[in-house]
Amino acid sequence: MALSTAEPLVICHLYPLEMNIYGDHGNVQVLVRRCELRGIPVRVEAYHPRAAFPARVDLLVGGGGQDSGQVRVKDDLPRVAGQLRELVASGVPALVVCGTYQLFGKRFITVAGEDIEGIGVFDLHTVGGAERMIGNIAIETSKFGTVIGYENHSGATLLGVGAQPFGTVTSGMGNNGDDGTEGVFSHNAIGTYLHGPLLPKNPRVADFLIAAALARRSNALGDGPGELAQELAPLDELDALAERARAVALTRPR
Ligand code: GLN
């Protein structure tokens, strides 16, 4: 499809009814607001089970969900698995949290023993355990510095040998409470257990996703480092507020 700079950035929100807990919708709201404040046209397209997949996607977002929500979307996922794999492989930025993160792996075996096949975007698998991993969490990342959030999952995720974690846990449990890893980072896609929602507390991650979407769009347009790929304007007032919230969140007990 021919692209023009006037066309809005399309954020595809995956399964917003089934996969949304602990405020994960807020991630989409932050992306939209940070675009609007900079005058970047943006549109959200929700993808619901059995619906048509959006014709163009610049950014993918998926939230967390209970095991029951994951069971509800598992039959639909194979319909769009190919498109999702292709989008991530082609550099479309993505943020998938907890339940969707698990389904983007190869397999999730729930605590009740249900075996859910993932779509294999990420090289990892998850096994539900009797003990939930719950609480505030902080991780160190090479790209974004300290990232903070809140986790609540029974699934323990193990990364494949070559998979790169999103970060290293400094406080909390992360992927499995054992190996110190949290989430996964592949191409421009982030999988993570961090709710909160994540993006209001970590604006650098939000801007990475927006900048990656714009840069990819710019390449597709063939205008090199043109208008769309320019540095994102700083949002100092908003980010100063986020910084204060982060400072408080980091002092919170687990
Ligand atoms: N159902 C999954 C688990 O408990 C995911 C939970 C979530 O998305 N917070 O592991």
Side-chain angles (χ1 to χ4, degrees):
M1 179 190 285
L3 299 175
S4 96
T5 48
E7 276 184 52
L9 207 68
V10 178
I11 299 174
C12 175
H13 191 178
L14 293 168
Y15 306 115
L17 300 180
E18 295 81 4
M19 306 298 281
N20 168 43
I21 45 177
Y22 313 121
D24 285 341
H25 274 349
N27 290 326
V28 174
Q29 289 170 335
V30 164
L31 290 168
V32 168
R33 192 72 189 123
R34 292 181 81 85
C35 283
E36 284 173 352
L37 287 169
R38 292 164 166 137
I40 301 165
V42 61
R43 185 175 82 230
V44 178
E45 291 214 14
Y47 173 71
H48 299 287
R50 293 177 299 282
F53 197 74
R56 205 192 71 238
V57 172
D58 297 307
L59 210 164
L60 272 171
V61 182
Q66 317 294 354
D67 291 7
S68 55
Q70 291 169 286
V71 168
R72 290 217 302 280
V73 302
K74 83 170 167 96
D75 293 335
D76 186 73
L77 262 178
R79 285 183 65 228
V80 291
Q83 276 141 304
L84 294 172
R85 278 193 295 264
E86 223 169 87
L87 287 170
V88 171
S90 73
V92 167
L95 173 67
V96 291
V97 178
C98 205
T100 305
Y101 165 46
Q102 294 170 341
L103 295 176
F104 268 46
K106 292 182 164 166
R107 162 154 272 111
F108 171 40
I109 301 171
T110 72
V111 66
E114 183 134 10
D115 191 342
I116 303 178
E117 197 172 330
I119 62 172
V121 167
F122 299 132
D123 180 14
L124 55 88
H125 73 276
T126 303
V127 180
E131 243 174 79
R132 297 195 70 83
M133 296 175 243
I134 307 175
N136 294 308
I137 171 167
I139 65 174
E140 271 316 305
T141 71
S142 53
K143 222 172 162 62
F144 313 105
T146 306
V147 173
I148 56 178
Y150 170 81
E151 62 182 329
N152 186 350
H153 53 110
S154 77
T157 295
L158 289 172
L159 300 180
V161 178
Q164 187 193 332
F166 178 37
T168 305
V169 178
T170 49
S171 165
M173 302 296 265
N175 277 335
N176 48 57
D178 205 31
D179 66 10
T181 66
E182 204 298 309
V184 72
F185 197 103
S186 170
H187 301 279
N188 284 323
I190 298 167
T192 179
Y193 276 111
L194 273 56
H195 302 278
L198 174 73
L199 296 183
K201 288 180 175 171
N202 302 282
R204 287 179 71 182
V205 181
D207 281 356
F208 159 75
L209 296 167
I210 296 168
L214 292 175
R216 186 174 166 280
R217 178 85 96 74
S218 207
N219 285 340
L221 283 165
D223 67 350
E227 198 194 336
L228 282 173
Q230 70 197 349
E231 287 278 299
L232 293 178
L235 300 174
D236 289 338
E237 217 173 297
L238 197 62
D239 290 355
L241 200 63
E243 206 39 65
R244 279 163 52 200
R246 285 168 58 79
V248 173
L250 279 167
T251 64
R252 289 248 168 91
R254 198 169 135 70

